[in-house]
């Protein structure tokens, strides 16, 4: 009988040798006349354990990791096909504390299944939500999503159900569902991993959205920096079409839904939803003024649902298991689970899906294991380039929308980036301004010019020129940007800058650290 | 990556299947770049004509997006992520070391090898991240990216 071995085909795993590991496992098997079947799953999210090799044994999936190409022959010598002892043996994958401490809902199939096997998908609970949706009315589906408390995971945290209801209630000859897979935030990769590991979940979520509001066309706006995800999703869409999940009759129902991937072109601001619409229309990615809301006049002027990958990918589970099960998780108005991403200078980086309300400390210490370098943890940026920098005395903050806002930050897309004591927060603040200058769509002056002025001013502070006066000037600039910007690019760039100044005042005293 | 050298005939062939696309300009520019490695001057007029839009519109899109380039692609392209998560594990030093080793400046145009800044490949837990000719590299080092 053939032994099944899982070796991730995730692009992060491949970036550190997963393809070589897979090839060597296959070669060695032939050499040793052993019968193995290698399945290229997605990553299970423990990027620190990649390449994580799993062997299917009578005792379940047994993990080995992190496996380097040079470890493969010793794995065979240790009888890893039978779950044999080896320095890299980790025991049953599900029992590894890092996984056991999570609550995988949106990510429940990620890393478990073969990403492009619809059969695998269905045998792990896939399509249950969509099958239910096609028997329901649009308002029933929308009510379920609303009751779940699901809020947008792309950054703004707007309730998904309310957005969907607006699209449902707007009459039009054409409606669209657009998935925002631009994932431009540094320190985030939840969208990428979901698409690479379990693309049918996104397809199912988008199809449920389409069925709910009566949309027949959908687009996924996927960034060009994610070539593997682009190919994987396109392949999955073809498979879903042939299987009748997508197309003129969704699972045999009267609903039609066609889905297409559009590739971004290296613009961060195109992750802003109206800039994304402009880009999908083939234009410069300049932010639109609101109103009109995209839900009323979005893509090509038609009512459009725009949601993040994780928002949409959470919907199948909500429909399958019921809104109450989802809303039972979390805290306050932050219901359900959040797919956190631990990144940067971190010992155990990767995906942590858990109910809202976990503390930052549990995330970065218990799960993350502190810094990779082993040096003291000094700063944590939460929520991407527009998110705040926290210092190491602020670790007791609860990770939910409201608590983070109260602590002067924001959740954003759930990225948590660690820095050790090498970091210079004045440099980080300057980078935030430079990034804004580089990515500004140019529509508003405070964002376009203020960011350049901001970077110059911080440079002066770093060089010790008129430090007190320049700090005041910088704060003024921040205020103008916050108040005078049309979108969060200019509006939130002051967040990393001011939090760096507030939480690390010692880095803004002039006199460069290094 | 291998590209064809610019020709109007080939460009026309690239654009033909896009005739029915709604809002085709960006897709057209991306398709041209995918085939030729860059967007030749003459492509602007061709796209304008093919899709019945103004040259100014095509030019506006071409100059807006960081991915699109108007000079031929180099033989080799090393993109290094310089965003925050990669900064925290030394991407600034990596850039300096690669610049030094290759004797080139980041974000300048060369015909043989270019070093370009990138802002996140979604490999932020295994940084610094780089992409060399489309191949993602984790825990990047000078040796790995110039190998
Ligand atoms: C500069 C900027 C960049 C953004 N980038 C993204 C992104 O990459 N992905 C995303 O889903 N939302 C991004 N957003 C948020 C979107 O505008 C929008 O709120 C979101 O796509 C809506 O989906 P959601 O409600 O499911 O979160 C960005 C916003 C701004 C201002
Ligand atoms: S804030 Fe910046 S990115 Fe946003 S609309 Fe204004 S100029 Fe464009
Ligand atoms: S920040 Fe470098 S890969 Fe994400």
């Amino acid at each position: 009988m053939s032994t099944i071995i899982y070796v991730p085909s995730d692009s992060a795993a491949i970036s550190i040798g997963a393809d070589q590991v897979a090839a060597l496992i296959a070669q060695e098997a032939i050499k040793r006349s052993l019968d193995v079947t290698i399945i290229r799953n997605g990553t299970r999210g423990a990027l620190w354990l990649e390449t994580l090799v799993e062997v299917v044994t009578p005792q379940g999936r047994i993990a080995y990791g992190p496996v380097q190409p040079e470890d493969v022959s010793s794995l065979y010598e240790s009888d890893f096909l039978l779950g044999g002892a080896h320095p890299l043996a980790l025991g049953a994958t599900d029992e590894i504390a890092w996984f056991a401490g999570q609550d995988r809902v949106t990510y429940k199939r990620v890393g478990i299944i073969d990403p492009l096997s619809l059969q695998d998908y269905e045998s792990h609970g896939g399509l249950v939500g969509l099958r239910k949706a096609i028997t329901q009315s649009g308002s029933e589906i929308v009510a379920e999503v609303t009751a779940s408390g699901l809020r947008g995971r792309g950054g703004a945290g707007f309730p998904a159900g309310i957005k969907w209801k607006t699209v449902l209630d707007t009459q039009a000859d054409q409606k669209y569902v657009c998935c925002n897979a631009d994932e431009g935030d540094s320190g985030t990769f939840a969208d990428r991993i979901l698409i690479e590991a379990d693309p049918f979940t996104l397809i199912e979520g988008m199809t449920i959205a389409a069925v709910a509001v009566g949309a027949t066309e959908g687009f996924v706006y996927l960034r060009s920096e994610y070539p593997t995800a682009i190919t994987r999703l396109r392949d999955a869409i073809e498979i879903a079409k042939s299987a009748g999940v997508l197309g003129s009759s969704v699972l045999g129902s009267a609903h039609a839904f066609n889905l297409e991937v559009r590739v971004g072109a290296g613009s961060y601001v195109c992750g802003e939803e109206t800039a994304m619409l402009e880009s999908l229309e083939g234009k410069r990615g300049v932010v639109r003024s609101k109103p009109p809301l995209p839900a009323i006049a979005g893509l090509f002027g038609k009512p459009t649902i725009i949601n993040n990958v994780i928002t949409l990918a959470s919907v199948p589970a909500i429909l399958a298991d019921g809104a109450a099960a989802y809303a039972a998780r979390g805290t306050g108005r932050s219901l359900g689970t959040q797919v956190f991403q631990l990144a940067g200078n971190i010992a155990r980086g990767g995906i942590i899906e858990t109910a809202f309300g976990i503390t930052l400390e549990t995330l970065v210490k218990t799960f993350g294991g502190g810094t990779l370098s082993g040096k003291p943890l000094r700063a944590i940026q939460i929520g991407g380039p527009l998110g705040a920098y926290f210092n190491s005395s602020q670790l007791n903050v609860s990770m939910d929308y409201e608590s983070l806002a109260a602590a002067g930050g924001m959740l954003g897309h759930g990225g948590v980036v660690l820095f050790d004591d090498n970091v210079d927060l004045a440099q980080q603040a300057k980078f935030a301004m430079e990034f804004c200058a580089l990515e500004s769509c140019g529509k508003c002056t405070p964002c376009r010019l203020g960011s350049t002025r901001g970077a110059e001013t911080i440079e002066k502070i770093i060089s010790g020129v008129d430090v007190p006066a320049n700090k005041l000037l910088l704060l003024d600039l921040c205020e103008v940007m916050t108040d005078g910007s049309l979108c969060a690019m200019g509006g939130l760039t002051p967040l990393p800058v001011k939090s760096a100044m507030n939480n690390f005042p010692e880095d803004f005293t002039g006199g460069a650290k290094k | 990556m291998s590209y064809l050298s610019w020709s109007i005939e080939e460009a026309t062939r690239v654009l033909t299947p896009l005739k029915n696309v709604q809002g085709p300009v960006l897709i057209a520019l991306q398709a041209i770049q995918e085939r030729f490695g860059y967007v030749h001057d003459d492509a602007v007029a061709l796209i304008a004509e093919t899709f019945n839009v103004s040259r100014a519109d095509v030019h506006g899109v071409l100059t807006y997006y960081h991915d699109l380039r108007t000079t031929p692609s180099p033989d080799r392209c090393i993109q290094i992520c310089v965003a925050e998560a990669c900064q925290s594990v030394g991407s600034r030093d990596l850039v300096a070391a690669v610049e030094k080793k290759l004797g080139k400046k980041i974000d300048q145009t060369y015909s043989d090898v270019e070093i370009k800044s990138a802002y996140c490949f979604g490999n932020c837990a295994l940084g610094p991240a780089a992409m060399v000719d489309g191949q993602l590299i984790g825990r990047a080092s000078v040796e790995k990216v110039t190998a």
Side-chain angles (χ1 to χ4, degrees):
Chain A
M1 215 188 70
S2 189
T3 306
I4 293 172
I5 303 176
Y6 288 92
V7 184
S9 60
D10 175 82
S11 52
I14 291 172
S15 84
I16 52 160
D19 280 350
Q20 289 94 304
V21 169
L24 285 169
I25 289 176
Q27 278 170 29
E28 285 275 332
I30 293 170
K31 239 182 2 199
R32 294 164 193 261
S33 310
L34 293 166
D35 186 8
V36 304
T37 303
I38 298 175
I39 297 178
R40 301 303 299 271
N41 57 338
T43 178
R44 297 192 61 151
L47 295 169
W48 58 288
L49 289 175
E50 296 296 352
T51 300
L52 183 77
V53 173
E54 290 176 274
V55 182
V56 179
T57 73
Q59 293 80 45
R61 283 162 80 149
I62 303 294
Y64 295 85
V67 176
Q68 310 280 338
E70 54 271 24
D71 299 320
V72 170
S73 69
S74 72
L75 282 175
Y76 275 101
E77 264 132 50
S78 308
D79 276 335
F80 83 123
L81 295 186
L82 302 170
H86 185 277
L88 297 178
L90 300 164
T93 320
D94 292 334
E95 287 163 24
I96 297 171
W98 204 85
F99 292 118
Q102 301 196 31
D103 182 11
R104 294 262 173 115
V105 177
T106 306
Y107 256 55
K108 82 177 151 211
R109 284 175 290 267
V110 164
I112 311 278
I113 62 169
D114 176 347
L116 290 177
S117 163
L118 197 52
Q119 201 187 344
D120 229 6
Y121 181 67
E122 284 202 69
S123 66
H124 286 80
L127 295 183
V128 174
L130 179 57
R131 285 190 208 286
K132 210 180 253 181
I134 54 177
T135 67
Q136 294 179 329
S137 71
S139 32
E140 282 171 325
I141 302 170
V142 170
E144 193 77 15
V145 172
T146 307
S148 75
L150 177 66
R151 294 167 67 178
R153 300 289 190 252
F158 190 81
I162 294 180
K163 195 182 279 186
W164 290 24
K165 184 165 184 342
T166 308
V167 179
L168 174 66
D169 291 345
T170 306
Q171 298 303 314
D173 55 351
Q174 174 75 58
K175 296 179 184 179
Y176 295 101
V177 176
C178 291
C179 172
N180 191 339
D182 200 45
E183 196 161 67
D185 288 3
S186 163
T188 67
F189 40 82
D191 298 349
R192 179 186 66 70
I193 286 181
L194 183 110
I195 290 172
E196 291 185 15
D198 188 16
F200 293 123
T201 293
L202 175 59
I203 293 171
E204 183 179 350
M206 289 186 74
T207 310
I208 293 171
V211 166
V213 302
T216 52
E217 300 287 330
F219 292 94
V220 179
Y221 189 82
L222 224 173
R223 67 201 316 251
S224 61
E225 291 84 348
Y226 287 0
T228 307
I230 293 166
T231 314
R232 186 88 26 97
L233 187 56
R234 284 190 166 143
D235 289 347
I237 287 171
E238 286 311 312
I239 294 166
K241 262 194 223 163
S242 328
V245 177
L246 292 171
S248 54
S249 165
V250 168
L251 292 174
S253 72
H255 300 280
F257 187 53
N258 297 302
L259 191 52
E260 201 182 303
V261 175
R262 289 285 176 91
V263 179
S267 159
Y268 176 76
V269 81
C270 283
E272 194 283 333
E273 57 185 10
T274 62
M276 182 187 85
L277 294 176
E278 291 290 300
S279 190
L280 280 169
E281 293 181 9
K283 304 181 200 147
R284 294 161 68 91
V286 176
V287 174
R288 295 180 185 171
S289 313
K290 287 185 231 175
L293 290 175
I296 291 168
L299 188 63
F300 300 112
K302 303 296 184 185
T304 304
I305 287 186
I306 303 169
N307 278 126
N308 173 255
V309 174
I310 300 300
T311 315
L312 290 162
S314 300
V315 169
I318 290 169
L319 279 243
D321 306 332
Y326 194 76
R329 299 170 161 98
T331 168
R333 295 200 300 116
S334 303
L335 298 180
T337 58
Q338 167 68 33
V339 181
F340 294 103
Q341 299 123 89
L342 299 185
N345 197 324
I346 187 150
R348 299 197 290 262
I351 295 287
I352 309 290
E353 182 176 4
T354 165
F356 284 102
I358 186 174
T359 65
L360 180 56
E361 171 139 29
T362 309
L363 269 185
V364 305
K365 299 227 163 122
T366 313
F367 284 100
T371 61
L372 176 70
S373 61
K375 298 174 70 178
L377 172 65
R378 179 145 190 262
I380 302 140
Q381 188 178 29
I382 301 175
L386 306 175
Y389 284 98
F390 292 93
N391 66 35
S392 53
S393 74
Q394 297 173 296
L395 294 180
N396 55 2
V397 65
S398 161
M399 298 294 283
D400 61 81
Y401 293 104
E402 282 70 34
S403 304
L404 279 167
M410 64 149 189
L411 176 66
H413 185 45
V416 176
V417 176
L418 273 61
F419 294 80
D420 70 12
D421 60 2
N422 257 325
V423 69
D424 176 346
L425 272 296
Q427 291 293 348
Q428 297 310 118
K430 187 175 141 206
F431 175 80
M433 286 289 190
E434 288 169 345
F435 187 64
C436 182
L438 183 70
E439 297 297 334
S440 170
C441 83
K443 193 160 180 160
C444 5
T445 318
C447 169
R448 189 181 69 237
L449 299 180
S451 51
T452 305
R453 279 302 304 284
E456 288 163 8
T457 308
I458 299 171
E459 183 53 44
K460 284 185 192 148
I461 296 170
I462 293 171
S463 332
V465 179
D466 288 341
V467 173
N470 276 312
K471 275 163 78 172
L472 283 177
L473 180 65
L474 182 58
L475 288 174
D476 272 354
L477 256 172
C478 283
E479 206 177 301
V480 173
M481 287 176 73
T482 306
D483 297 341
S485 298
L486 182 59
C487 85
M489 180 83 236
L492 286 181
T493 292
L495 194 58
V497 175
K498 284 168 67 176
S499 60
M501 291 174 82
N502 286 334
N503 299 332
F504 303 86
E506 63 278 19
D507 286 9
F508 292 82
T509 53
K513 247 180 63 164
K514 282 175 279 183
Chain B
M1 251 169 257
S2 68
Y3 298 109
L4 298 184
S5 45
W6 168 257
S7 84
I8 287 278
E9 295 70 42
E10 181 61 22
T12 308
R13 268 195 291 280
V14 170
L15 298 182
T16 305
L18 303 177
K19 285 237 163 96
N20 292 323
V21 171
Q22 238 183 324
V25 176
L26 177 56
I27 291 191
L29 287 163
Q30 288 171 316
I32 292 284
Q33 177 152 315
E34 207 171 298
R35 186 64 54 94
F36 303 107
Y38 72 113
V39 180
H40 190 279
D41 269 352
D42 294 347
V44 172
L46 183 67
I47 291 172
E49 216 172 280
T50 309
F51 301 106
N52 205 16
V53 292
S54 77
R55 282 186 201 198
D57 282 343
V58 180
H59 190 261
V61 176
L62 172 60
T63 51
Y64 186 81
Y65 291 97
H66 301 306
D67 279 0
L68 298 174
R69 55 183 296 149
T70 52
T71 53
S73 279
D75 303 331
R76 183 140 211 250
C77 185
I78 303 174
Q79 294 170 275
I80 300 178
C81 175
V82 296
E84 292 91 335
C86 287
Q87 291 166 5
S88 78
V89 283
S91 65
R92 289 188 180 99
D93 293 343
L94 177 64
V95 168
V98 174
E99 283 183 318
K100 185 158 173 245
K101 172 153 183 202
L102 299 179
K104 316 248 162 173
K105 283 276 158 210
I106 194 161
D107 295 326
Q108 304 277 314
T109 308
Y110 300 96
S111 61
D112 53 348
V113 190
E114 280 180 14
I115 314 165
K116 298 195 71 172
S117 10
Y119 296 86
C120 197
F121 292 111
N123 200 13
C124 334
L126 297 173
M131 198 175 267
V132 180
D133 294 338
Q135 196 71 43
L136 185 63
I137 295 176
R139 298 281 187 240
S141 59
V142 187
E143 296 71 36
K144 279 196 199 174
V145 302
T146 58

